[in-house]
Amino acid sequence: MNRKDFIKTSTVLAASSFFLNAKGSNFLDRSIRVGLIGVNGMGCSDLNALLKNDGLVCTALCDVDENILKKRAEELQKRNIQVETFVDYKKMLNSSIVDAVIIATPDHWHCLQLVDAVNAGKHVYVEKPIGNSIVECQLMVQAAKKNKAIVQVGQWQRSQQHFKDAIDFVHSGKLGKIRLVKAWSYQGWKSAIPIVPDEPVPAGVHYTEWLGPAQKRPFKDRCKIMLIFSDRLFLLFFAVFSDLDSEI
């Protein structure tokens, strides 16, 4: 598949095609260099989706867990893909080896990392949810517009026709004046997180950097799970970035 056809017909829409529309660059003359922030879970899946397409190359990985960071770098090396690794995402953003980044970190990091990324001149694919509050989302949109950055959120449902039809139906006014909206989330596929005692942070895990803007709390064995996914379950790390206005 040539580059022109890929732009038109890429089936890995959620994690790849938006990169090919990046503005103000001669991307059609070279590969788009992608860096991944948060290399476990969905980050790994997103990257593998990207690497199925021509014209995209991974040049950098970033994670606060040096153990999984090393593992992912070695996996890519076996595929003849050489990457530079970072623990501090800001150092990756300040480097000249990436054009766009995937943000697949826990939810409480999405807002700050996206704002930092677009301020550094990078385009962004950020995993869902975009942020933890409406205020965070507004700040992210403002930063993207200010920097004229291309940003896509991994809300893949918004690309499916039946969801579009439902949204159109709501906007049509046929439901009348909507006064109340209720939403729920069935999480039956997740197991319970047990109550466990505090314990030392495992070697290679930069736990303070993982907490970042979130509430400081001791490391527990359950945090090994939360390092991947389960932080959403109890919203333990809800963050409000009150100081971002000065940065945007």
Side-chain angles (χ1 to χ4, degrees):
M1 179 183 292
N2 61 41
R3 195 172 184 81
K4 182 178 180 181
D5 290 337
F6 169 72
I7 294 175
K8 292 181 178 179
T9 63
S10 172
T11 57
V12 196
L13 181 62
S16 61
S17 64
F18 92 103
F19 285 123
L20 300 178
N21 296 313
K23 52 84 183 170
S25 179
N26 59 344
F27 285 161
L28 293 181
D29 297 325
R30 65 168 174 81
S31 295
I32 300 174
R33 302 166 302 175
V34 178
L36 171 61
I37 307 175
V39 304
N40 217 358
M42 285 304 303
C44 182
S45 298
D46 292 339
L47 181 60
N48 284 329
L50 280 175
L51 295 178
K52 294 177 181 178
N53 300 281
D54 296 330
L56 297 166
V57 60
C58 179
T59 54
L61 300 178
C62 176
D63 203 283
V64 296
D65 186 342
E66 294 185 46
N67 305 296
I68 190 64
L69 184 61
K70 179 181 178 182
K71 177 182 178 181
R72 293 291 184 244
E74 290 174 347
E75 290 172 352
L76 290 177
Q77 189 173 25
K78 293 178 181 178
R79 300 163 65 178
N80 296 317
I81 300 173
Q82 303 296 325
V83 296
E84 188 170 345
T85 58
F86 300 84
V87 171
D88 185 347
Y89 77 92
K90 290 185 177 180
K91 290 183 178 179
M92 189 184 83
L93 294 178
N94 290 331
S95 72
S96 60
I97 63 173
V98 296
D99 304 306
V101 296
I102 301 169
I103 297 175
T105 50
D107 306 346
H108 66 279
W109 264 114
H110 288 185
C111 181
L112 190 57
Q113 289 177 338
L114 182 141
V115 170
D116 287 341
V118 297
N119 283 342
K122 314 302 181 184
H123 304 293
V124 179
Y125 175 86
V126 58
E127 267 297 337
K128 61 180 180 294
I130 182 173
N132 275 334
S133 69
I134 293 175
V135 172
E136 283 188 5
C137 296
Q138 291 172 335
L139 293 172
M140 296 163 86
V141 170
Q142 291 172 19
K145 288 182 176 179
K146 176 183 177 181
N147 291 281
K148 298 181 179 179
I150 293 177
V151 174
Q152 182 172 337
V153 184
Q155 296 290 135
W156 54 269
Q157 297 96 333
R158 301 301 184 268
S159 300
Q160 295 181 319
Q161 189 58 48
H162 58 285
F163 285 103
K164 292 181 180 179
D165 292 341
I167 292 172
D168 289 342
F169 184 77
V170 172
H171 289 171
S172 72
K174 294 179 180 179
L175 292 177
K177 187 175 182 179
I178 299 174
R179 299 179 181 275
L180 176 66
V181 176
K182 293 185 178 182
W184 63 94
S185 176
Y186 174 69
Q187 301 289 343
W189 55 276
K190 288 185 179 180
S191 58
I193 299 177
I195 297 176
V196 295
D198 300 345
E199 64 175 85
V201 177
V205 173
H206 298 257
Y207 182 58
T208 300
E209 285 72 22
W210 183 82
L211 285 172
Q215 178 182 349
K216 305 306 183 235
R217 56 181 69 238
F219 184 91
K220 298 178 182 291
D221 183 68
R222 65 185 182 186
C223 293
K224 294 177 183 177
I225 303 174
M226 290 182 182
L227 285 169
I228 303 173
F229 211 13
S230 296
D231 59 295
R232 293 179 195 160
L233 191 56
F234 298 111
L235 293 179
L236 292 175
F237 301 99
F238 186 87
V240 177
F241 301 106
S242 58
D243 61 337
L244 275 179
D245 290 300
S246 60
E247 301 180 21
I248 296 179

